[in-house]
Amino acid sequence: MNGAESLVTTLVDQGVDICFANPGTSEMHFLSALDNPKMKSVLCLFEGVCTGAADGWYRMTDKPASTLLHLGPGLANGLANIHNAKRASSGMVNIVGEHSLKHLSYDPPLTSDIEGLARPLSYWVRRADSSTTIAWDAATAVAEASSHPGKIATLILPGDTAWKNAGEAVLPPARPSGRNAPDQARVDQVAKVLRSGEPVLMILGNKATRGRALELAGKVAAGTGCRLGSQFFTARIERGAGRVPLERIPYAVAGGQAFLKDFRHIVTVETKEPVAFFSYPDKPSLLKAPGTTVHSLVEPDEDSVAGFEMLIDALGLKDTAPVLQERVETPPPSGALNPESIANALAAALPENCILVDESLTTGRQTMGFTMGALPHDLINNMGGSIGYGTPVATGAALACPDRRTFCMVGDGSAMYTIQSLWTQAREGLPVTTIIFANNQYAILKAEYSNMGAGEAPGPQAMSMIDIDRPTIDWVAMAKSMGVPGVSVDTAHDFHSAMVRSAGEPGPSLIEVKLY
Amino acid sequence: MNGAESLVTTLVDQGVDICFANPGTSEMHFLSALDNPKMKSVLCLFEGVCTGAADGWYRMTDKPASTLLHLGPGLANGLANIHNAKRASSGMVNIVGEHSLKHLSYDPPLTSDIEGLARPLSYWVRRADSSTTIAWDAATAVAEASSHPGKIATLILPGDTAWKNAGEAVLPPARPSGRNAPDQARVDQVAKVLRSGEPVLMILGNKATRGRALELAGKVAAGTGCRLGSQFFTARIERGAGRVPLERIPYAVAGGQAFLKDFRHIVTVETKEPVAFFSYPDKPSLLKAPGTTVHSLVEPDEDSVAGFEMLIDALGLKDTAPVLQERVETPPPSGALNPESIANALAAALPENCILVDESLTTGRQTMGFTMGALPHDLINNMGGSIGYGTPVATGAALACPDRRTFCMVGDGSAMYTIQSLWTQAREGLPVTTIIFANNQYAILKAEYSNMGAGEAPGPQAMSMIDIDRPTIDWVAMAKSMGVPGVSVDTAHDFHSAMVRSAGEPGPSLIEVKLY
């Protein structure tokens, strides 16, 4: 067994059984080792698709995927979606090829400081300097990536480490799994606040927005009258009819402030107090009102199920039924496309248990509330703010959940960043419906221009950096070029019909929603 | 005048008058400042296109372009082509937006260690901490980028630096321009070697492969009988009929060794001795034969024109006529597409003074010699080895030389990395003919698999990571989706005709060369 085989064997033995790959010459031994029947390999035609897909895989499985990236530049191409994954607390094991040590001394063309490139966005970085210890390195990488919250682990694989004999694998001792419960004193303080009768917003993040944690939060809300919220962006929310509903804190600074102004207390669960996405000359960074106190119930590295159980004990709410969202039947809309009719079309079309990846930016921003009463589904957001996350994350989520339909709502500007995802979706026959909101502009930037105090409106040259018409992108042709059937719609009725139709067919499809 | 305006004004005053941009919210003041009539702004739909286009601009003008990138992830998306530009000694000024200092303390979603991301691939990095000193920072960035060889300079622009009042611009003192001549003792040593009668290969790199330096090298070859070579990849070569011909050192280790084995001396000019691109278990890193001595005539930071003038003085070759390439008329080929007929079609079709950007990998690798006697043209190669450089570099080269036709030869695997270039080409109406060599595979990796000793042939799972059929990419639909007319050809005759036709029409076009 060589080092590459030892690495792949260790990955699968430790539960990492998928690799999103774009290999190069220096990874040929790893490529050969991928012919392991327990490892699924998925080819992506750009590394940003690999890392985004690994993020999507983690969001749906809570297990890290691996990626295979070609030296420093291959890693660099994946970094933007590594940033997004890091901000979503997704675990990921990146394997980055590297020249052999001897060869590096001659500074060949593809040489770069891979550790330097990996460090800013990885929690853990190691250069695997020997084939005999690479099993240990790989198991450590998986353990780091799998910890709570999930982490980015990057393992650099020099050629000679891959091709030399590995000998017997030696693994580090297994780490204790299980998460820390929060401190009792903190729980008691939050219980006191909740009993005070003062208005409280409890903000849930990361793994608290689903499963048992979410259900327990619903009991606290039912028993104390506190309101439950989520940040504007959350890694994954289980929502829709029958789930505990979370109110979404608005994105814009003024809207966020208005939403938060009447709460005397904010209680955080696996998240922090709300912060503005960007800095503006005359706007604050923190959105809470003066006089609002922030209390942490569960820190990001703690267990929110345990935290809620302790809180429910303290409050005596064990037998309280949680607040649940009622089903709202939305009739398929007709007429022109606008944010409301789009949201209603979504609400009417979403099939039970689907996955909704949202990178719709301006189009979907104000109206996702209309889908609160849709059939139960998972909603995934971009936590890092780097555009081009949507189509790769949808690809990874669909591989994780091949029996569910994934809808990926994405603005045209964002979609262009990592459009190569469509090819992988076609190759793997994934049940993904990509919905392109085509407004031919970085519409969010038009709004932000005056928000930012850069002037009333952009001048002609600046405006031309925000409009992405000239030429208009033909999204149906784009989809066709990569083997994905597409359709263009310009009415709410046709949008709804296209979604329903796509959900009834196997494999990927694309819907261009013409907003111009 | 605010900081952003001071920055843009300084850039144009210092001769940087084009900006390849993909702006975000944090760059709204810079965007507003771009409405400067002396600055041309070019929108790219992915940052890898911005940085690659800046590289292409530098290759044809010897002047740095600027890029505008959105925080750490925007920079990250541009890094692979920054790596390629760095390896090509191209100058570039990257402007990277950043949150204001105050906002950073709240760790908002788009926060990352931008200096950490910039450092590994930049020669110079600075955070512009005050609007009052940003003119100084900008002028320093341009001076660094414009030095010889060209450098990557990255200036990080926090929001508050952009929007606050800049006051009077204060600039650093101008640097002495002009390059160092090589040491006389080194020149004399090379003269002695050339007079020895022993076989000598002189390898030219960077700026020595064009203009007066190349002509002088031709005199040395004519007068001494030494042979003139280039690395397999060179930033830009002026070649074709009437130019001093350079022999290309083969890419593969065995071929490179065979080419070099009979030279007793290697003389380097703005380059280093030949090194294998990758490391292989049983192959050397250095390609020269044992017993070959390497002499540096001109170091990468020295002036090759001065070096050759000193050498010609020492050798008394002032009146020697240089060796020049004869014109070879190639009749348009017919029949099947293969490396030879493709090269002949190129040789027959290339119009005088065109630019040829080569990222053809396997298809063009062995046969570019057939175009040595074509009409004079510029050849541009990928120096850094990160794929996806071709279409962006062609975009920048065409903006630099709007009166010349640029042909971009690119493999299908490479083209998919930064295919967004086509959109910018359509928007700007650039005279670029993109030639996609569609073999539906990362063919180079198939060859490298056994080279690398990873086995006879990849197993089925590994092979599926190298083939990029399933689905086949429809390149004509891809081009159409971004407003570029395309045609698919499968004979040498049709390939030649399509090239000739494209050169006779304004604006971009795409030719899919079907090799399957």
Side-chain angles (χ1 to χ4, degrees), chain B residues 309-364:
Chain B
E309 282 172 345
M310 290 164 72
L311 183 63
I312 281 167
D313 266 358
L315 292 167
L317 298 175
K318 206 172 154 208
D319 299 322
T320 305
V323 179
L324 295 180
Q325 171 70 46
E326 286 185 5
R327 170 78 171 125
V328 180
E329 296 277 356
T330 308
S334 60
L337 288 164
N338 56 49
E340 190 175 329
S341 68
I342 287 171
N344 284 329
L346 269 174
L350 293 181
E352 185 160 358
N353 207 26
C354 71
I355 300 165
L356 190 56
V357 177
D358 186 8
E359 193 178 17
S360 60
L361 301 184
T362 40
T363 307

Short mmCIF file of all heavy atoms in Angstrom, two decimals, chain B residues 309-364:
data_model
loop_
_atom_site.label_atom_id
_atom_site.label_comp_id
_atom_site.label_asym_id
_atom_site.label_seq_id
_atom_site.Cartn_x
_atom_site.Cartn_y
_atom_site.Cartn_z
N GLU B 309 24.21 43.63 -26.03
CA GLU B 309 25.12 44.62 -26.63
C GLU B 309 26.54 44.44 -26.10
O GLU B 309 27.51 44.50 -26.86
CB GLU B 309 24.60 46.04 -26.35
CG GLU B 309 23.45 46.40 -27.29
CD GLU B 309 22.75 47.71 -26.95
OE1 GLU B 309 22.96 48.22 -25.83
OE2 GLU B 309 21.98 48.20 -27.81
N MET B 310 26.66 44.19 -24.81
CA MET B 310 27.99 43.96 -24.24
C MET B 310 28.62 42.69 -24.83
O MET B 310 29.82 42.65 -25.15
CB MET B 310 27.86 43.82 -22.71
CG MET B 310 27.50 45.13 -22.02
SD MET B 310 26.90 44.88 -20.31
CE MET B 310 28.43 44.43 -19.49
N LEU B 311 27.79 41.66 -24.99
CA LEU B 311 28.29 40.39 -25.52
C LEU B 311 28.74 40.55 -26.97
O LEU B 311 29.79 40.02 -27.38
CB LEU B 311 27.21 39.32 -25.40
CG LEU B 311 27.59 37.90 -25.85
CD1 LEU B 311 28.70 37.33 -24.97
CD2 LEU B 311 26.37 36.97 -25.80
N ILE B 312 27.96 41.29 -27.73
CA ILE B 312 28.28 41.50 -29.15
C ILE B 312 29.56 42.33 -29.30
O ILE B 312 30.40 42.07 -30.17
CB ILE B 312 27.06 42.11 -29.85
CG1 ILE B 312 26.05 40.99 -30.13
CG2 ILE B 312 27.45 42.83 -31.15
CD1 ILE B 312 24.69 41.46 -30.53
N ASP B 313 29.72 43.29 -28.39
CA ASP B 313 30.99 44.05 -28.34
C ASP B 313 32.15 43.10 -28.08
O ASP B 313 33.17 43.13 -28.77
CB ASP B 313 30.94 45.08 -27.20
CG ASP B 313 30.48 46.44 -27.69
OD1 ASP B 313 30.24 46.56 -28.91
OD2 ASP B 313 30.36 47.35 -26.85
N ALA B 314 31.98 42.25 -27.07
CA ALA B 314 33.07 41.35 -26.68
C ALA B 314 33.40 40.38 -27.80
O ALA B 314 34.57 39.98 -27.97
CB ALA B 314 32.68 40.59 -25.41
N LEU B 315 32.38 40.01 -28.58
CA LEU B 315 32.60 39.02 -29.65
C LEU B 315 32.90 39.67 -31.00
O LEU B 315 33.22 38.97 -31.96
CB LEU B 315 31.35 38.14 -29.80
CG LEU B 315 31.03 37.18 -28.63
CD1 LEU B 315 29.63 36.62 -28.77
CD2 LEU B 315 32.05 36.04 -28.57
N GLY B 316 32.73 40.99 -31.06
CA GLY B 316 32.97 41.68 -32.33
C GLY B 316 31.97 41.33 -33.42
O GLY B 316 32.32 41.12 -34.57
N LEU B 317 30.69 41.25 -33.03
CA LEU B 317 29.67 40.80 -34.00
C LEU B 317 28.71 41.93 -34.39
O LEU B 317 27.60 41.66 -34.87
CB LEU B 317 28.87 39.64 -33.39
CG LEU B 317 29.65 38.37 -33.06
CD1 LEU B 317 28.76 37.36 -32.37
CD2 LEU B 317 30.25 37.77 -34.34
N LYS B 318 29.16 43.15 -34.21
CA LYS B 318 28.25 44.28 -34.41
C LYS B 318 27.64 44.29 -35.82
O LYS B 318 26.47 44.64 -36.00
CB LYS B 318 29.03 45.58 -34.18
CG LYS B 318 28.16 46.72 -33.74
CD LYS B 318 28.97 47.93 -33.33
CE LYS B 318 28.13 49.17 -33.53
NZ LYS B 318 28.92 50.36 -33.79
N ASP B 319 28.42 43.89 -36.78
CA ASP B 319 27.93 43.99 -38.16
C ASP B 319 27.42 42.66 -38.71
O ASP B 319 27.13 42.53 -39.90
CB ASP B 319 29.04 44.54 -39.06
CG ASP B 319 29.44 45.94 -38.61
OD1 ASP B 319 28.54 46.71 -38.20
OD2 ASP B 319 30.66 46.25 -38.61
N THR B 320 27.32 41.67 -37.82
CA THR B 320 26.81 40.37 -38.27
C THR B 320 25.29 40.46 -38.44
O THR B 320 24.59 41.05 -37.61
CB THR B 320 27.14 39.29 -37.22
OG1 THR B 320 28.55 39.32 -36.99
CG2 THR B 320 26.70 37.92 -37.67
N ALA B 321 24.80 39.88 -39.51
CA ALA B 321 23.33 39.85 -39.71
C ALA B 321 22.75 38.73 -38.87
O ALA B 321 23.32 37.65 -38.80
CB ALA B 321 23.02 39.62 -41.19
N PRO B 322 21.62 38.98 -38.22
CA PRO B 322 21.03 37.93 -37.39
C PRO B 322 20.47 36.78 -38.22
O PRO B 322 20.09 36.96 -39.38
CB PRO B 322 19.90 38.66 -36.66
CG PRO B 322 19.56 39.82 -37.51
CD PRO B 322 20.83 40.22 -38.21
N VAL B 323 20.46 35.60 -37.62
CA VAL B 323 19.71 34.48 -38.20
C VAL B 323 18.23 34.84 -38.19
O VAL B 323 17.72 35.26 -37.16
CB VAL B 323 19.90 33.22 -37.32
CG1 VAL B 323 19.11 32.05 -37.87
CG2 VAL B 323 21.37 32.87 -37.16
N LEU B 324 17.56 34.68 -39.32
CA LEU B 324 16.12 34.98 -39.34
C LEU B 324 15.34 33.79 -39.91
O LEU B 324 15.84 33.05 -40.76
CB LEU B 324 15.86 36.23 -40.20
CG LEU B 324 16.43 37.55 -39.68
CD1 LEU B 324 16.09 38.68 -40.64
CD2 LEU B 324 15.92 37.88 -38.27
N GLN B 325 14.16 33.64 -39.43
CA GLN B 325 13.26 32.58 -39.90
C GLN B 325 12.76 32.92 -41.31
O GLN B 325 12.31 34.04 -41.54
CB GLN B 325 12.07 32.45 -38.94
CG GLN B 325 10.96 31.56 -39.39
CD GLN B 325 11.36 30.10 -39.39
OE1 GLN B 325 11.96 29.61 -38.44
NE2 GLN B 325 11.07 29.38 -40.48
N GLU B 326 12.83 31.94 -42.20
CA GLU B 326 12.24 32.14 -43.53
C GLU B 326 10.74 31.94 -43.50
O GLU B 326 10.22 31.20 -42.68
CB GLU B 326 12.84 31.13 -44.52
CG GLU B 326 14.27 31.49 -44.90
CD GLU B 326 14.81 30.56 -45.98
OE1 GLU B 326 14.04 29.71 -46.48
OE2 GLU B 326 16.00 30.69 -46.29
N ARG B 327 10.09 32.58 -44.41
CA ARG B 327 8.64 32.37 -44.58
C ARG B 327 8.42 30.98 -45.16
O ARG B 327 9.07 30.60 -46.13
CB ARG B 327 8.09 33.45 -45.52
CG ARG B 327 6.66 33.23 -45.97
CD ARG B 327 5.66 33.62 -44.91
NE ARG B 327 4.30 33.59 -45.44
CZ ARG B 327 3.31 32.88 -44.90
NH1 ARG B 327 3.52 32.16 -43.80
NH2 ARG B 327 2.11 32.91 -45.44
N VAL B 328 7.52 30.25 -44.56
CA VAL B 328 7.12 28.95 -45.09
C VAL B 328 5.66 29.04 -45.47
O VAL B 328 4.81 29.25 -44.59
CB VAL B 328 7.34 27.82 -44.06
CG1 VAL B 328 6.92 26.48 -44.63
CG2 VAL B 328 8.78 27.79 -43.58
N GLU B 329 5.35 28.95 -46.74
CA GLU B 329 3.95 29.00 -47.17
C GLU B 329 3.33 27.64 -46.91
O GLU B 329 3.80 26.62 -47.41
CB GLU B 329 3.85 29.31 -48.68
CG GLU B 329 4.37 30.68 -49.08
CD GLU B 329 3.34 31.79 -48.87
OE1 GLU B 329 2.19 31.48 -48.49
OE2 GLU B 329 3.69 32.97 -49.07
N THR B 330 2.32 27.61 -46.12
CA THR B 330 1.65 26.34 -45.83
C THR B 330 0.31 26.33 -46.56
O THR B 330 -0.53 27.21 -46.30
CB THR B 330 1.40 26.18 -44.32
OG1 THR B 330 2.63 26.40 -43.64
CG2 THR B 330 0.85 24.81 -43.99
N PRO B 331 0.06 25.39 -47.45
CA PRO B 331 -1.26 25.35 -48.10
C PRO B 331 -2.31 24.91 -47.07
O PRO B 331 -2.00 24.12 -46.17
CB PRO B 331 -1.09 24.29 -49.19
CG PRO B 331 0.11 23.49 -48.81
CD PRO B 331 0.95 24.30 -47.88
N PRO B 332 -3.51 25.44 -47.18
CA PRO B 332 -4.57 25.01 -46.25
C PRO B 332 -4.72 23.49 -46.32
O PRO B 332 -4.82 22.93 -47.41
CB PRO B 332 -5.81 25.72 -46.78
CG PRO B 332 -5.30 26.87 -47.57
CD PRO B 332 -3.99 26.44 -48.14
N PRO B 333 -4.71 22.82 -45.19
CA PRO B 333 -4.78 21.36 -45.21
C PRO B 333 -6.21 20.87 -45.44
O PRO B 333 -7.17 21.63 -45.29
CB PRO B 333 -4.31 20.98 -43.81
CG PRO B 333 -4.72 22.13 -42.96
CD PRO B 333 -4.64 23.36 -43.83
N SER B 334 -6.32 19.62 -45.78
CA SER B 334 -7.64 19.01 -45.87
C SER B 334 -7.57 17.70 -45.08
O SER B 334 -6.55 17.35 -44.53
CB SER B 334 -8.00 18.74 -47.34
OG SER B 334 -7.02 17.88 -47.89
N GLY B 335 -8.69 17.02 -45.05
CA GLY B 335 -8.70 15.72 -44.39
C GLY B 335 -8.99 15.82 -42.91
O GLY B 335 -9.56 16.82 -42.43
N ALA B 336 -8.61 14.78 -42.20
CA ALA B 336 -8.99 14.63 -40.80
C ALA B 336 -8.20 15.59 -39.92
O ALA B 336 -7.11 16.06 -40.28
CB ALA B 336 -8.75 13.20 -40.35
N LEU B 337 -8.77 15.89 -38.78
CA LEU B 337 -8.08 16.69 -37.78
C LEU B 337 -7.10 15.82 -37.01
O LEU B 337 -7.47 14.76 -36.51
CB LEU B 337 -9.09 17.30 -36.81
CG LEU B 337 -9.96 18.42 -37.36
CD1 LEU B 337 -11.15 18.65 -36.44
CD2 LEU B 337 -9.16 19.71 -37.51
N ASN B 338 -5.86 16.23 -36.99
CA ASN B 338 -4.86 15.60 -36.12
C ASN B 338 -3.85 16.68 -35.77
O ASN B 338 -3.92 17.79 -36.31
CB ASN B 338 -4.22 14.39 -36.82
CG ASN B 338 -3.61 14.79 -38.16
OD1 ASN B 338 -2.88 15.76 -38.23
ND2 ASN B 338 -3.95 14.04 -39.21
N PRO B 339 -2.94 16.42 -34.85
CA PRO B 339 -2.04 17.50 -34.43
C PRO B 339 -1.35 18.18 -35.61
O PRO B 339 -1.22 19.41 -35.64
CB PRO B 339 -1.05 16.78 -33.52
CG PRO B 339 -1.85 15.67 -32.92
CD PRO B 339 -2.77 15.22 -34.03
N GLU B 340 -0.96 17.41 -36.62
CA GLU B 340 -0.24 18.01 -37.74
C GLU B 340 -1.15 18.86 -38.63
O GLU B 340 -0.80 19.97 -39.00
CB GLU B 340 0.42 16.89 -38.57
CG GLU B 340 1.37 17.44 -39.62
CD GLU B 340 2.10 16.32 -40.34
OE1 GLU B 340 2.35 15.27 -39.72
OE2 GLU B 340 2.42 16.49 -41.53
N SER B 341 -2.34 18.33 -38.92
CA SER B 341 -3.23 19.12 -39.79
C SER B 341 -3.73 20.36 -39.05
O SER B 341 -3.94 21.42 -39.65
CB SER B 341 -4.39 18.27 -40.31
OG SER B 341 -5.27 17.90 -39.27
N ILE B 342 -3.88 20.25 -37.75
CA ILE B 342 -4.28 21.43 -36.96
C ILE B 342 -3.19 22.49 -37.02
O ILE B 342 -3.46 23.67 -37.26
CB ILE B 342 -4.56 21.01 -35.50
CG1 ILE B 342 -5.88 20.24 -35.42
CG2 ILE B 342 -4.58 22.22 -34.58
CD1 ILE B 342 -6.15 19.59 -34.07
N ALA B 343 -1.94 22.05 -36.85
CA ALA B 343 -0.84 23.01 -36.88
C ALA B 343 -0.72 23.64 -38.27
O ALA B 343 -0.47 24.84 -38.41
CB ALA B 343 0.46 22.32 -36.49
N ASN B 344 -0.92 22.84 -39.29
CA ASN B 344 -0.85 23.38 -40.65
C ASN B 344 -2.00 24.34 -40.94
O ASN B 344 -1.81 25.35 -41.63
CB ASN B 344 -0.82 22.24 -41.67
CG ASN B 344 0.54 21.57 -41.71
OD1 ASN B 344 1.56 22.22 -41.46
ND2 ASN B 344 0.57 20.28 -41.99
N ALA B 345 -3.16 24.03 -40.43
CA ALA B 345 -4.28 24.95 -40.60
C ALA B 345 -3.98 26.29 -39.93
O ALA B 345 -4.23 27.36 -40.50
CB ALA B 345 -5.56 24.33 -40.02
N LEU B 346 -3.41 26.21 -38.75
CA LEU B 346 -3.00 27.43 -38.05
C LEU B 346 -1.99 28.21 -38.87
O LEU B 346 -2.13 29.42 -39.09
CB LEU B 346 -2.34 27.07 -36.71
CG LEU B 346 -3.20 26.97 -35.47
CD1 LEU B 346 -2.35 26.45 -34.32
CD2 LEU B 346 -3.79 28.33 -35.11
N ALA B 347 -0.94 27.50 -39.32
CA ALA B 347 0.14 28.17 -40.06
C ALA B 347 -0.42 28.88 -41.29
O ALA B 347 0.02 29.97 -41.65
CB ALA B 347 1.20 27.16 -40.46
N ALA B 348 -1.39 28.23 -41.93
CA ALA B 348 -1.96 28.82 -43.14
C ALA B 348 -2.89 29.99 -42.83
O ALA B 348 -3.01 30.93 -43.62
CB ALA B 348 -2.72 27.74 -43.92
N ALA B 349 -3.54 29.94 -41.67
CA ALA B 349 -4.60 30.92 -41.40
C ALA B 349 -4.13 32.15 -40.64
O ALA B 349 -4.76 33.21 -40.74
CB ALA B 349 -5.73 30.25 -40.61
N LEU B 350 -3.08 32.03 -39.87
CA LEU B 350 -2.71 33.15 -38.98
C LEU B 350 -2.43 34.41 -39.78
O LEU B 350 -1.52 34.44 -40.60
CB LEU B 350 -1.47 32.78 -38.15
CG LEU B 350 -1.64 31.67 -37.11
CD1 LEU B 350 -0.33 31.45 -36.34
CD2 LEU B 350 -2.78 31.96 -36.15
N PRO B 351 -3.18 35.47 -39.54
CA PRO B 351 -2.92 36.71 -40.27
C PRO B 351 -1.69 37.42 -39.68
O PRO B 351 -1.32 37.20 -38.54
CB PRO B 351 -4.19 37.52 -40.06
CG PRO B 351 -4.78 37.01 -38.80
CD PRO B 351 -4.35 35.59 -38.64
N GLU B 352 -1.10 38.27 -40.51
CA GLU B 352 0.08 38.99 -40.06
C GLU B 352 -0.24 39.78 -38.81
O GLU B 352 -1.27 40.42 -38.68
CB GLU B 352 0.57 39.93 -41.18
CG GLU B 352 1.87 40.61 -40.80
CD GLU B 352 2.63 41.14 -42.01
OE1 GLU B 352 2.15 40.94 -43.15
OE2 GLU B 352 3.71 41.73 -41.82
N ASN B 353 0.72 39.70 -37.86
CA ASN B 353 0.65 40.51 -36.64
C ASN B 353 -0.45 40.07 -35.68
O ASN B 353 -0.89 40.86 -34.83
CB ASN B 353 0.48 41.99 -37.01
CG ASN B 353 1.04 42.90 -35.93
OD1 ASN B 353 1.93 42.51 -35.19
ND2 ASN B 353 0.49 44.09 -35.82
N CYS B 354 -0.92 38.85 -35.82
CA CYS B 354 -1.93 38.39 -34.86
C CYS B 354 -1.26 37.97 -33.55
O CYS B 354 -0.04 37.91 -33.43
CB CYS B 354 -2.74 37.23 -35.44
SG CYS B 354 -1.83 35.69 -35.58
N ILE B 355 -2.09 37.73 -32.56
CA ILE B 355 -1.63 37.28 -31.23
C ILE B 355 -2.17 35.87 -31.04
O ILE B 355 -3.36 35.62 -31.28
CB ILE B 355 -2.16 38.21 -30.13
CG1 ILE B 355 -1.65 39.64 -30.35
CG2 ILE B 355 -1.76 37.70 -28.75
CD1 ILE B 355 -2.40 40.70 -29.54
N LEU B 356 -1.31 34.97 -30.60
CA LEU B 356 -1.72 33.58 -30.42
C LEU B 356 -1.53 33.22 -28.95
O LEU B 356 -0.40 33.16 -28.47
CB LEU B 356 -0.85 32.70 -31.32
CG LEU B 356 -1.20 31.24 -31.50
CD1 LEU B 356 -2.63 31.07 -32.00
CD2 LEU B 356 -0.22 30.60 -32.49
N VAL B 357 -2.63 33.05 -28.24
CA VAL B 357 -2.58 32.63 -26.84
C VAL B 357 -2.76 31.12 -26.82
O VAL B 357 -3.77 30.62 -27.30
CB VAL B 357 -3.67 33.33 -26.01
CG1 VAL B 357 -3.65 32.83 -24.57
CG2 VAL B 357 -3.50 34.84 -26.06
N ASP B 358 -1.78 30.41 -26.30
CA ASP B 358 -1.80 28.95 -26.41
C ASP B 358 -2.02 28.29 -25.05
O ASP B 358 -1.16 28.33 -24.17
CB ASP B 358 -0.47 28.47 -27.00
CG ASP B 358 -0.48 26.97 -27.29
OD1 ASP B 358 -1.55 26.35 -27.16
OD2 ASP B 358 0.59 26.43 -27.62
N GLU B 359 -3.17 27.69 -24.89
CA GLU B 359 -3.42 26.83 -23.73
C GLU B 359 -4.00 25.51 -24.25
O GLU B 359 -4.94 24.96 -23.70
CB GLU B 359 -4.40 27.50 -22.74
CG GLU B 359 -4.42 26.78 -21.40
CD GLU B 359 -5.33 27.42 -20.37
OE1 GLU B 359 -6.20 28.22 -20.74
OE2 GLU B 359 -5.16 27.09 -19.17
N SER B 360 -3.39 25.05 -25.35
CA SER B 360 -3.98 23.88 -26.01
C SER B 360 -3.54 22.57 -25.39
O SER B 360 -4.08 21.53 -25.70
CB SER B 360 -3.63 23.90 -27.49
OG SER B 360 -2.22 23.87 -27.66
N LEU B 361 -2.54 22.61 -24.52
CA LEU B 361 -2.07 21.41 -23.83
C LEU B 361 -1.78 20.30 -24.81
O LEU B 361 -0.97 20.46 -25.71
CB LEU B 361 -3.06 21.00 -22.74
CG LEU B 361 -3.32 22.06 -21.67
CD1 LEU B 361 -4.23 21.52 -20.58
CD2 LEU B 361 -2.05 22.59 -21.04
N THR B 362 -2.43 19.15 -24.65
CA THR B 362 -2.05 18.00 -25.47
C THR B 362 -2.15 18.26 -26.97
O THR B 362 -1.32 17.80 -27.73
CB THR B 362 -2.95 16.78 -25.14
OG1 THR B 362 -4.27 17.23 -24.95
CG2 THR B 362 -2.45 16.11 -23.89
N THR B 363 -3.18 19.00 -27.38
CA THR B 363 -3.40 19.11 -28.81
C THR B 363 -2.29 19.88 -29.52
O THR B 363 -1.81 19.49 -30.58
CB THR B 363 -4.76 19.80 -29.09
OG1 THR B 363 -5.76 19.09 -28.36
CG2 THR B 363 -5.09 19.81 -30.55
N GLY B 364 -1.86 20.98 -28.93
CA GLY B 364 -0.88 21.80 -29.61
C GLY B 364 0.57 21.55 -29.22
O GLY B 364 1.48 22.10 -29.79
#
